[in-house]
């Protein structure tokens, strides 16, 4: 009988590292004495593979890679590059890593496009990040440029500017009591850190200050 390894969301596939399943009776070719001698040799060998087996760690690198990926994907999605980096750090052979990563993509456990879409939605509406900042973050996670462009296409310049206005409105109260130039630098700097361009930041901040009755003459120059 051949032990089989279950792949998530798919039919079972055989585990290439599994050997035949022999019984313990004499009909299986092993007597009681032979079993004791085999166990004695196993205890005395002290090999690294024996230690791993005793700890319940799989010796098959494909199974190791699969377990690592499943643990990392529990509770949070990750990109293919993030998982590949994790497998490389654990010294999983490239061939085994590639097999598992490709299989996980086939069954939908790795989906960089869905990851990028969710990232843009969450980070823009949750943190107010502009397109430029979102592109930078997705690149660090190894998402392909074409996939990033598709995800960033969810946002247009009007929506981005509206979010910038909301950010400034929330921050405006805390700058009251400061002189005009300090308010400008603080508010515009906040937008810049979130990826908004200089022109948009200056325009949004100026309009917000004007609505409070602040004199904005001379604020047309870049800060």
């Amino acid at each position: 009988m051949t032990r089989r390894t279950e792949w998530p969301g798919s039919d079972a596939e055989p585990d290439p590292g599994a050997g035949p399943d022999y019984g313990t009776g004499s009909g299986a070719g092993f007597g009681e004495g032979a079993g004791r001698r085999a166990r004695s040799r196993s205890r005395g060998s002290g090999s690294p593979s024996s230690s791993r087996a005793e700890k319940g760690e799989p010796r098959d690198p494909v199974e190791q890679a699969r377990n690592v990926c499943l643990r990392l994907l529990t509770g949070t999605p990750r990109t293919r590059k993030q998982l590949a980096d994790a497998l490389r750090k654990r010294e999983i052979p490239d061939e085994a890593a590639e097999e598992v990563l490709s299989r996980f993509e086939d069954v939908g456990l790795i989906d960089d496009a869905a990851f990028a879409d969710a990232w843009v939605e969450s980070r823009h509406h949750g943190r107010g990040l502009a397109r430029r900042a979102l592109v930078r973050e997705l690149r660090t996670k190894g998402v392909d440029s074409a996939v990033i462009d598709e995800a960033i296409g969810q946002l247009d310049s009007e929506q981005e500017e509206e979010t910038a206005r909301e950010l400034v409105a929330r921050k405006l109260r805390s700058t009251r009591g400061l002189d005009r130039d300090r308010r400008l630098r603080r508010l515009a700097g906040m937008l810049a850190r979130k990826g908004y361009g200089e022109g948009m930041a200056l325009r949004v901040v100026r309009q917000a200050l004007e609505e409070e009755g602040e004199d904005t003459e001379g604020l047309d120059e870049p800060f």
Side-chain angles (χ1 to χ4, degrees):
M1 180 185 298
T2 301
R3 182 167 59 87
R4 301 172 70 84
T5 300
E6 295 292 337
W7 289 87
S10 67
D11 294 332
E13 295 183 5
D15 180 354
D21 186 9
Y22 294 107
T24 57
S26 58
F30 288 93
E32 183 178 352
R36 285 198 299 269
R37 288 194 296 273
R39 289 193 293 273
S40 175
R41 286 196 300 270
S42 175
R43 286 194 298 268
S45 65
S47 66
S49 60
S50 297
S51 299
R52 287 195 299 269
E54 290 172 0
K55 294 177 182 178
E57 298 179 9
R59 286 174 289 181
D60 178 13
V62 171
E63 184 70 8
Q64 290 177 352
R66 176 180 176 275
N67 289 347
V68 169
C69 289
L70 287 175
R71 284 197 301 269
L72 292 175
L73 288 168
T74 300
T76 181
R78 297 178 190 268
T79 66
R80 179 173 177 132
K81 181 179 184 301
Q82 287 177 306
L83 293 173
D85 288 345
L87 295 178
R88 192 174 300 110
K89 184 177 180 180
R90 289 164 174 79
E91 299 182 347
I92 301 294
D94 290 344
E95 184 176 349
E98 180 66 24
E99 177 180 339
V100 171
L101 293 173
S102 296
R103 182 58 177 162
F104 273 40
E105 278 188 327
D106 289 343
V107 299
L109 289 176
I110 301 175
D111 188 338
D112 282 3
F115 178 96
D117 288 343
W119 188 267
V120 169
E121 176 73 16
S122 172
R123 299 288 282 177
H124 178 73
H125 294 290
R127 297 288 303 278
L129 297 188
R131 286 173 292 184
R132 184 166 58 183
L134 293 168
V135 168
R136 185 166 56 245
E137 288 187 341
L138 288 171
R139 281 177 178 165
T140 65
K141 297 183 180 302
V143 180
D144 183 77
S145 295
V147 175
I148 293 176
D149 291 343
E150 185 73 20
I152 294 298
Q154 299 177 38
L155 304 177
D156 56 32
S157 57
E158 291 183 3
Q159 183 176 356
E160 195 173 54
E161 184 164 335
E162 179 60 29
T163 301
R165 294 183 192 282
E166 294 172 359
L167 291 169
V168 170
R170 290 200 296 264
K171 187 75 172 177
L172 198 62
R173 182 186 298 273
S174 66
T175 67
R176 289 171 185 163
L178 302 176
D179 63 65
R180 184 196 66 176
D181 290 345
R182 289 186 66 188
R183 296 185 81 187
L184 171 67
R185 288 194 298 269
R186 183 166 296 186
L187 293 169
M190 177 269 295
L191 291 179
R193 288 190 295 275
K194 291 181 178 292
Y196 292 89
E198 184 178 273
M200 179 185 290
L202 179 60
R203 182 173 64 255
V204 168
V205 172
R206 179 180 180 180
Q207 290 174 352
L209 293 176
E210 285 177 347
E211 290 173 2
E212 284 206 336
E214 192 81 68
D215 180 9
T216 61
E217 185 177 355
L219 291 185
D220 292 326
E221 297 299 323
F223 52 87

